[in-house]
mmCIF file of all heavy atoms in Angstrom:
data_model
loop_
_atom_site.group_PDB
_atom_site.id
_atom_site.type_symbol
_atom_site.label_atom_id
_atom_site.label_comp_id
_atom_site.label_asym_id
_atom_site.label_seq_id
_atom_site.Cartn_x
_atom_site.Cartn_y
_atom_site.Cartn_z
ATOM 1 N N LEU G 1 1.802 -8.269 -2.886
ATOM 2 C CA LEU G 1 0.707 -7.525 -2.259
ATOM 3 C C LEU G 1 -0.380 -7.203 -3.286
ATOM 4 O O LEU G 1 -1.577 -7.354 -3.014
ATOM 5 C CB LEU G 1 1.245 -6.240 -1.626
ATOM 6 C CG LEU G 1 0.220 -5.264 -1.047
ATOM 7 C CD1 LEU G 1 -0.544 -5.892 0.110
ATOM 8 C CD2 LEU G 1 0.915 -3.970 -0.592
ATOM 9 N N LEU G 2 0.029 -6.770 -4.467
ATOM 10 C CA LEU G 2 -0.932 -6.450 -5.527
ATOM 11 C C LEU G 2 -1.701 -7.695 -5.962
ATOM 12 O O LEU G 2 -2.923 -7.661 -6.137
ATOM 13 C CB LEU G 2 -0.203 -5.826 -6.714
ATOM 14 C CG LEU G 2 -1.065 -5.410 -7.918
ATOM 15 C CD1 LEU G 2 -2.112 -4.383 -7.512
ATOM 16 C CD2 LEU G 2 -0.187 -4.850 -9.038
ATOM 17 N N GLU G 3 -0.973 -8.799 -6.123
ATOM 18 C CA GLU G 3 -1.611 -10.036 -6.576
ATOM 19 C C GLU G 3 -2.544 -10.623 -5.521
ATOM 20 O O GLU G 3 -3.627 -11.110 -5.842
ATOM 21 C CB GLU G 3 -0.540 -11.063 -6.947
ATOM 22 C CG GLU G 3 0.264 -10.678 -8.185
ATOM 23 C CD GLU G 3 1.438 -11.612 -8.422
ATOM 24 O OE1 GLU G 3 1.718 -12.463 -7.553
ATOM 25 O OE2 GLU G 3 2.084 -11.481 -9.495
ATOM 26 N N ALA G 4 -2.140 -10.552 -4.260
ATOM 27 C CA ALA G 4 -2.913 -11.193 -3.194
ATOM 28 C C ALA G 4 -4.074 -10.337 -2.699
ATOM 29 O O ALA G 4 -5.168 -10.855 -2.420
ATOM 30 C CB ALA G 4 -1.995 -11.539 -2.020
ATOM 31 N N GLU G 5 -3.848 -9.029 -2.577
ATOM 32 C CA GLU G 5 -4.843 -8.168 -1.941
ATOM 33 C C GLU G 5 -5.322 -7.017 -2.820
ATOM 34 O O GLU G 5 -6.193 -6.244 -2.418
ATOM 35 C CB GLU G 5 -4.273 -7.592 -0.633
ATOM 36 C CG GLU G 5 -4.019 -8.639 0.447
ATOM 37 C CD GLU G 5 -5.316 -9.175 1.051
ATOM 38 O OE1 GLU G 5 -6.387 -8.606 0.766
ATOM 39 O OE2 GLU G 5 -5.248 -10.158 1.810
ATOM 40 N N GLY G 6 -4.747 -6.873 -4.004
ATOM 41 C CA GLY G 6 -5.190 -5.812 -4.903
ATOM 42 C C GLY G 6 -4.825 -4.419 -4.443
ATOM 43 O O GLY G 6 -5.509 -3.451 -4.775
ATOM 44 N N VAL G 7 -3.728 -4.291 -3.690
ATOM 45 C CA VAL G 7 -3.265 -2.978 -3.226
ATOM 46 C C VAL G 7 -2.022 -2.599 -4.020
ATOM 47 O O VAL G 7 -1.014 -3.309 -3.990
ATOM 48 C CB VAL G 7 -2.936 -2.982 -1.719
ATOM 49 C CG1 VAL G 7 -2.420 -1.613 -1.282
ATOM 50 C CG2 VAL G 7 -4.168 -3.367 -0.911
ATOM 51 N N ALA G 8 -2.100 -1.488 -4.739
ATOM 52 C CA ALA G 8 -0.990 -1.027 -5.571
ATOM 53 C C ALA G 8 -0.184 0.033 -4.843
ATOM 54 O O ALA G 8 -0.699 1.101 -4.509
ATOM 55 C CB ALA G 8 -1.512 -0.462 -6.892
ATOM 56 N N VAL G 9 1.084 -0.288 -4.555
ATOM 57 C CA VAL G 9 2.038 0.656 -3.978
ATOM 58 C C VAL G 9 3.309 0.573 -4.823
ATOM 59 O O VAL G 9 3.400 -0.245 -5.734
ATOM 60 C CB VAL G 9 2.331 0.329 -2.494
ATOM 61 C CG1 VAL G 9 1.052 0.401 -1.667
ATOM 62 C CG2 VAL G 9 2.959 -1.054 -2.351
ATOM 63 N N VAL G 10 4.301 1.395 -4.533
ATOM 64 C CA VAL G 10 5.519 1.423 -5.345
ATOM 65 C C VAL G 10 6.702 0.947 -4.508
ATOM 66 O O VAL G 10 6.888 1.389 -3.374
ATOM 67 C CB VAL G 10 5.817 2.842 -5.892
ATOM 68 C CG1 VAL G 10 6.986 2.796 -6.879
ATOM 69 C CG2 VAL G 10 4.580 3.425 -6.573
ATOM 70 N N HIS G 11 7.497 0.054 -5.076
ATOM 71 C CA HIS G 11 8.652 -0.494 -4.365
ATOM 72 C C HIS G 11 9.736 0.562 -4.172
ATOM 73 O O HIS G 11 9.994 1.389 -5.039
ATOM 74 C CB HIS G 11 9.230 -1.704 -5.105
ATOM 75 C CG HIS G 11 9.485 -1.496 -6.550
ATOM 76 N ND1 HIS G 11 8.465 -1.360 -7.485
ATOM 77 C CD2 HIS G 11 10.649 -1.380 -7.259
ATOM 78 C CE1 HIS G 11 8.983 -1.180 -8.677
ATOM 79 N NE2 HIS G 11 10.305 -1.178 -8.578
ATOM 80 N N GLY G 12 10.400 0.499 -3.031
ATOM 81 C CA GLY G 12 11.407 1.500 -2.681
ATOM 82 C C GLY G 12 12.632 1.477 -3.563
ATOM 83 O O GLY G 12 13.264 2.516 -3.782
ATOM 84 N N SER G 13 12.999 0.313 -4.098
ATOM 85 C CA SER G 13 14.192 0.252 -4.947
ATOM 86 C C SER G 13 14.039 1.117 -6.189
ATOM 87 O O SER G 13 15.035 1.557 -6.769
ATOM 88 C CB SER G 13 14.499 -1.200 -5.337
ATOM 89 O OG SER G 13 13.371 -1.826 -5.907
ATOM 90 N N ALA G 14 12.801 1.398 -6.610
ATOM 91 C CA ALA G 14 12.576 2.303 -7.738
ATOM 92 C C ALA G 14 13.028 3.724 -7.409
ATOM 93 O O ALA G 14 13.373 4.505 -8.301
ATOM 94 C CB ALA G 14 11.098 2.313 -8.121
ATOM 95 N N PHE G 15 13.040 4.047 -6.115
ATOM 96 C CA PHE G 15 13.465 5.366 -5.651
ATOM 97 C C PHE G 15 14.910 5.359 -5.144
ATOM 98 O O PHE G 15 15.361 6.330 -4.542
ATOM 99 C CB PHE G 15 12.537 5.854 -4.534
ATOM 100 C CG PHE G 15 11.083 5.896 -4.900
ATOM 101 C CD1 PHE G 15 10.222 4.886 -4.501
ATOM 102 C CD2 PHE G 15 10.566 6.937 -5.650
ATOM 103 C CE1 PHE G 15 8.878 4.906 -4.831
ATOM 104 C CE2 PHE G 15 9.220 6.974 -5.989
ATOM 105 C CZ PHE G 15 8.374 5.953 -5.587
ATOM 106 N N GLY G 16 15.589 4.246 -5.368
ATOM 107 C CA GLY G 16 17.005 4.176 -5.022
ATOM 108 C C GLY G 16 17.309 3.756 -3.606
ATOM 109 O O GLY G 16 18.473 3.794 -3.196
ATOM 110 N N LEU G 17 16.289 3.350 -2.831
ATOM 111 C CA LEU G 17 16.557 2.954 -1.448
ATOM 112 C C LEU G 17 15.486 1.975 -0.966
ATOM 113 O O LEU G 17 14.309 2.304 -0.893
ATOM 114 C CB LEU G 17 16.584 4.174 -0.530
ATOM 115 C CG LEU G 17 17.078 3.916 0.892
ATOM 116 C CD1 LEU G 17 18.585 3.649 0.898
ATOM 117 C CD2 LEU G 17 16.765 5.100 1.804
ATOM 118 N N GLY G 18 15.912 0.775 -0.645
ATOM 119 C CA GLY G 18 15.015 -0.237 -0.091
ATOM 120 C C GLY G 18 15.650 -0.778 1.190
ATOM 121 O O GLY G 18 16.728 -0.349 1.581
ATOM 122 N N ALA G 19 15.017 -1.725 1.848
ATOM 123 C CA ALA G 19 13.762 -2.362 1.473
ATOM 124 C C ALA G 19 12.595 -1.557 2.059
ATOM 125 O O ALA G 19 12.281 -1.664 3.235
ATOM 126 C CB ALA G 19 13.733 -3.790 2.009
ATOM 127 N N ASN G 20 11.984 -0.774 1.201
ATOM 128 C CA ASN G 20 10.878 0.089 1.575
ATOM 129 C C ASN G 20 9.828 0.043 0.484
ATOM 130 O O ASN G 20 10.032 -0.547 -0.572
ATOM 131 C CB ASN G 20 11.343 1.534 1.777
ATOM 132 C CG ASN G 20 12.336 1.700 2.902
ATOM 133 O OD1 ASN G 20 13.518 1.397 2.760
ATOM 134 N ND2 ASN G 20 11.858 2.171 4.036
ATOM 135 N N PHE G 21 8.715 0.702 0.725
ATOM 136 C CA PHE G 21 7.735 0.933 -0.331
ATOM 137 C C PHE G 21 7.052 2.271 -0.064
ATOM 138 O O PHE G 21 7.037 2.759 1.066
ATOM 139 C CB PHE G 21 6.722 -0.212 -0.439
ATOM 140 C CG PHE G 21 5.918 -0.481 0.810
ATOM 141 C CD1 PHE G 21 4.626 -0.009 0.948
ATOM 142 C CD2 PHE G 21 6.452 -1.259 1.840
ATOM 143 C CE1 PHE G 21 3.879 -0.287 2.082
ATOM 144 C CE2 PHE G 21 5.709 -1.542 2.983
ATOM 145 C CZ PHE G 21 4.426 -1.052 3.109
ATOM 146 N N ARG G 22 6.540 2.860 -1.135
ATOM 147 C CA ARG G 22 5.900 4.167 -1.002
ATOM 148 C C ARG G 22 4.391 4.033 -1.129
ATOM 149 O O ARG G 22 3.886 3.366 -2.037
ATOM 150 C CB ARG G 22 6.389 5.133 -2.089
ATOM 151 C CG ARG G 22 5.919 6.574 -1.861
ATOM 152 C CD ARG G 22 6.089 7.442 -3.089
ATOM 153 N NE ARG G 22 5.054 7.187 -4.089
ATOM 154 C CZ ARG G 22 4.874 7.906 -5.200
ATOM 155 N NH1 ARG G 22 5.679 8.910 -5.472
ATOM 156 N NH2 ARG G 22 3.915 7.605 -6.057
ATOM 157 N N ILE G 23 3.710 4.673 -0.206
ATOM 158 C CA ILE G 23 2.258 4.788 -0.266
ATOM 159 C C ILE G 23 1.903 6.266 -0.389
ATOM 160 O O ILE G 23 2.426 7.107 0.345
ATOM 161 C CB ILE G 23 1.593 4.201 0.992
ATOM 162 C CG1 ILE G 23 1.618 2.666 0.938
ATOM 163 C CG2 ILE G 23 0.164 4.698 1.158
ATOM 164 C CD1 ILE G 23 0.984 2.007 2.140
ATOM 165 N N SER G 24 1.006 6.573 -1.314
ATOM 166 C CA SER G 24 0.444 7.912 -1.398
ATOM 167 C C SER G 24 -0.855 7.933 -0.606
ATOM 168 O O SER G 24 -1.740 7.106 -0.840
ATOM 169 C CB SER G 24 0.166 8.287 -2.859
ATOM 170 O OG SER G 24 -0.644 9.449 -2.926
ATOM 171 N N TYR G 25 -0.951 8.867 0.333
ATOM 172 C CA TYR G 25 -2.201 8.983 1.081
ATOM 173 C C TYR G 25 -3.075 10.112 0.528
ATOM 174 O O TYR G 25 -3.954 10.647 1.221
ATOM 175 C CB TYR G 25 -1.977 9.104 2.588
ATOM 176 C CG TYR G 25 -1.041 10.191 3.080
ATOM 177 C CD1 TYR G 25 -1.497 11.473 3.328
ATOM 178 C CD2 TYR G 25 0.294 9.906 3.350
ATOM 179 C CE1 TYR G 25 -0.654 12.463 3.811
ATOM 180 C CE2 TYR G 25 1.145 10.881 3.831
ATOM 181 C CZ TYR G 25 0.670 12.160 4.060
ATOM 182 O OH TYR G 25 1.514 13.133 4.548
ATOM 183 N N ALA G 26 -2.865 10.417 -0.752
ATOM 184 C CA ALA G 26 -3.765 11.324 -1.465
ATOM 185 C C ALA G 26 -4.970 10.509 -1.947
ATOM 186 O O ALA G 26 -5.231 10.379 -3.149
ATOM 187 C CB ALA G 26 -3.048 11.987 -2.631
ATOM 188 N N ALA G 27 -5.658 9.924 -0.999
ATOM 189 C CA ALA G 27 -6.816 9.072 -1.268
ATOM 190 C C ALA G 27 -7.795 9.247 -0.113
ATOM 191 O O ALA G 27 -7.426 9.728 0.960
ATOM 192 C CB ALA G 27 -6.388 7.609 -1.397
ATOM 193 N N SER G 28 -9.025 8.823 -0.310
ATOM 194 C CA SER G 28 -10.047 9.010 0.719
ATOM 195 C C SER G 28 -9.733 8.196 1.969
ATOM 196 O O SER G 28 -8.999 7.204 1.923
ATOM 197 C CB SER G 28 -11.422 8.604 0.174
ATOM 198 O OG SER G 28 -11.483 7.196 0.006
ATOM 199 N N GLU G 29 -10.320 8.615 3.074
ATOM 200 C CA GLU G 29 -10.134 7.896 4.336
ATOM 201 C C GLU G 29 -10.624 6.458 4.207
ATOM 202 O O GLU G 29 -10.002 5.526 4.738
ATOM 203 C CB GLU G 29 -10.888 8.618 5.457
ATOM 204 C CG GLU G 29 -10.720 7.989 6.827
ATOM 205 C CD GLU G 29 -11.382 8.803 7.922
ATOM 206 O OE1 GLU G 29 -11.528 10.031 7.760
ATOM 207 O OE2 GLU G 29 -11.770 8.196 8.946
ATOM 208 N N GLU G 30 -11.728 6.271 3.481
ATOM 209 C CA GLU G 30 -12.277 4.929 3.284
ATOM 210 C C GLU G 30 -11.280 4.019 2.557
ATOM 211 O O GLU G 30 -11.059 2.870 2.961
ATOM 212 C CB GLU G 30 -13.573 5.023 2.479
ATOM 213 C CG GLU G 30 -14.228 3.677 2.209
ATOM 214 C CD GLU G 30 -15.463 3.817 1.325
ATOM 215 O OE1 GLU G 30 -15.728 4.930 0.828
ATOM 216 O OE2 GLU G 30 -16.147 2.796 1.120
ATOM 217 N N ILE G 31 -10.671 4.546 1.497
ATOM 218 C CA ILE G 31 -9.703 3.761 0.742
ATOM 219 C C ILE G 31 -8.466 3.468 1.584
ATOM 220 O O ILE G 31 -7.929 2.361 1.568
ATOM 221 C CB ILE G 31 -9.325 4.488 -0.561
ATOM 222 C CG1 ILE G 31 -10.498 4.464 -1.541
ATOM 223 C CG2 ILE G 31 -8.085 3.870 -1.212
ATOM 224 C CD1 ILE G 31 -10.283 5.280 -2.802
ATOM 225 N N LEU G 32 -8.007 4.450 2.340
ATOM 226 C CA LEU G 32 -6.826 4.250 3.183
ATOM 227 C C LEU G 32 -7.082 3.196 4.260
ATOM 228 O O LEU G 32 -6.220 2.357 4.532
ATOM 229 C CB LEU G 32 -6.404 5.574 3.823
ATOM 230 C CG LEU G 32 -5.838 6.632 2.867
ATOM 231 C CD1 LEU G 32 -5.613 7.948 3.598
ATOM 232 C CD2 LEU G 32 -4.540 6.153 2.228
ATOM 233 N N LYS G 33 -8.264 3.240 4.872
ATOM 234 C CA LYS G 33 -8.587 2.230 5.888
ATOM 235 C C LYS G 33 -8.602 0.838 5.279
ATOM 236 O O LYS G 33 -8.032 -0.107 5.836
ATOM 237 C CB LYS G 33 -9.949 2.540 6.513
ATOM 238 C CG LYS G 33 -9.936 3.668 7.529
ATOM 239 C CD LYS G 33 -11.322 3.874 8.136
ATOM 240 C CE LYS G 33 -11.301 4.972 9.197
ATOM 241 N NZ LYS G 33 -12.660 5.206 9.751
ATOM 242 N N GLU G 34 -9.263 0.704 4.134
ATOM 243 C CA GLU G 34 -9.332 -0.601 3.487
ATOM 244 C C GLU G 34 -7.945 -1.060 3.039
ATOM 245 O O GLU G 34 -7.576 -2.236 3.223
ATOM 246 C CB GLU G 34 -10.282 -0.540 2.286
ATOM 247 C CG GLU G 34 -10.396 -1.832 1.493
ATOM 248 C CD GLU G 34 -10.963 -2.995 2.291
ATOM 249 O OE1 GLU G 34 -11.619 -2.752 3.332
ATOM 250 O OE2 GLU G 34 -10.753 -4.150 1.875
ATOM 251 N N GLY G 35 -7.165 -0.121 2.481
ATOM 252 C CA GLY G 35 -5.807 -0.465 2.051
ATOM 253 C C GLY G 35 -4.947 -0.896 3.227
ATOM 254 O O GLY G 35 -4.202 -1.885 3.148
ATOM 255 N N GLY G 36 -5.036 -0.167 4.339
ATOM 256 C CA GLY G 36 -4.264 -0.519 5.525
ATOM 257 C C GLY G 36 -4.654 -1.881 6.069
ATOM 258 O O GLY G 36 -3.794 -2.675 6.475
ATOM 259 N N ASN G 37 -5.958 -2.168 6.072
ATOM 260 C CA ASN G 37 -6.420 -3.467 6.559
ATOM 261 C C ASN G 37 -5.935 -4.601 5.652
ATOM 262 O O ASN G 37 -5.561 -5.685 6.134
ATOM 263 C CB ASN G 37 -7.944 -3.483 6.644
ATOM 264 C CG ASN G 37 -8.479 -2.598 7.760
ATOM 265 O OD1 ASN G 37 -7.774 -2.345 8.739
ATOM 266 N ND2 ASN G 37 -9.706 -2.122 7.622
ATOM 267 N N ARG G 38 -5.943 -4.362 4.350
ATOM 268 C CA ARG G 38 -5.468 -5.397 3.417
ATOM 269 C C ARG G 38 -3.970 -5.639 3.590
ATOM 270 O O ARG G 38 -3.511 -6.789 3.512
ATOM 271 C CB ARG G 38 -5.773 -4.986 1.977
ATOM 272 C CG ARG G 38 -7.243 -4.979 1.611
ATOM 273 C CD ARG G 38 -7.429 -4.749 0.115
ATOM 274 N NE ARG G 38 -8.812 -4.502 -0.240
ATOM 275 C CZ ARG G 38 -9.266 -4.398 -1.491
ATOM 276 N NH1 ARG G 38 -8.415 -4.514 -2.507
ATOM 277 N NH2 ARG G 38 -10.535 -4.168 -1.743
ATOM 278 N N ILE G 39 -3.217 -4.573 3.809
ATOM 279 C CA ILE G 39 -1.770 -4.733 4.033
ATOM 280 C C ILE G 39 -1.518 -5.520 5.308
ATOM 281 O O ILE G 39 -0.657 -6.407 5.356
ATOM 282 C CB ILE G 39 -1.079 -3.357 4.068
ATOM 283 C CG1 ILE G 39 -1.105 -2.716 2.676
ATOM 284 C CG2 ILE G 39 0.372 -3.487 4.555
ATOM 285 C CD1 ILE G 39 -0.655 -1.265 2.646
ATOM 286 N N GLN G 40 -2.277 -5.209 6.368
ATOM 287 C CA GLN G 40 -2.145 -5.973 7.614
ATOM 288 C C GLN G 40 -2.431 -7.453 7.384
ATOM 289 O O GLN G 40 -1.702 -8.329 7.861
ATOM 290 C CB GLN G 40 -3.105 -5.414 8.663
ATOM 291 C CG GLN G 40 -2.723 -4.051 9.209
ATOM 292 C CD GLN G 40 -3.742 -3.535 10.201
ATOM 293 O OE1 GLN G 40 -4.620 -4.268 10.661
ATOM 294 N NE2 GLN G 40 -3.635 -2.257 10.546
ATOM 295 N N ARG G 41 -3.481 -7.730 6.630
ATOM 296 C CA ARG G 41 -3.866 -9.121 6.352
ATOM 297 C C ARG G 41 -2.769 -9.838 5.547
ATOM 298 O O ARG G 41 -2.431 -10.985 5.832
ATOM 299 C CB ARG G 41 -5.192 -9.142 5.621
ATOM 300 C CG ARG G 41 -5.798 -10.536 5.416
ATOM 301 C CD ARG G 41 -7.235 -10.413 4.994
ATOM 302 N NE ARG G 41 -7.401 -9.714 3.716
ATOM 303 C CZ ARG G 41 -8.450 -8.967 3.400
ATOM 304 N NH1 ARG G 41 -9.430 -8.798 4.262
ATOM 305 N NH2 ARG G 41 -8.540 -8.386 2.226
ATOM 306 N N PHE G 42 -2.227 -9.141 4.551
ATOM 307 C CA PHE G 42 -1.189 -9.734 3.721
ATOM 308 C C PHE G 42 0.061 -10.033 4.546
ATOM 309 O O PHE G 42 0.629 -11.127 4.467
ATOM 310 C CB PHE G 42 -0.841 -8.801 2.560
ATOM 311 C CG PHE G 42 0.323 -9.270 1.736
ATOM 312 C CD1 PHE G 42 0.206 -10.378 0.911
ATOM 313 C CD2 PHE G 42 1.547 -8.619 1.801
ATOM 314 C CE1 PHE G 42 1.279 -10.826 0.146
ATOM 315 C CE2 PHE G 42 2.635 -9.054 1.045
ATOM 316 C CZ PHE G 42 2.487 -10.166 0.227
#
């Protein structure tokens, strides 16, 4: 995801439980919309 769309998130196995990933939504609405759209595309 990072390589293809430039969206940085954290893999769930780092937190001891996968297959998941963590997203922080402590970001602007604009960034979240763009990030969500890129994830959908990926």
Side-chain angles (χ1 to χ4, degrees):
L1 174 63
L2 181 60
E3 292 172 352
E5 294 288 350
V7 178
V9 300
V10 187
H11 50 290
S13 53
F15 304 100
L17 190 71
N20 297 78
F21 59 100
R22 189 195 77 172
I23 285 180
S24 167
Y25 53 87
S28 70
E29 182 175 334
E30 180 184 7
I31 289 174
L32 291 173
K33 283 182 178 178
E34 178 63 20
N37 290 335
R38 291 188 190 187
I39 291 170
Q40 289 178 12
R41 187 166 62 211
F42 174 71

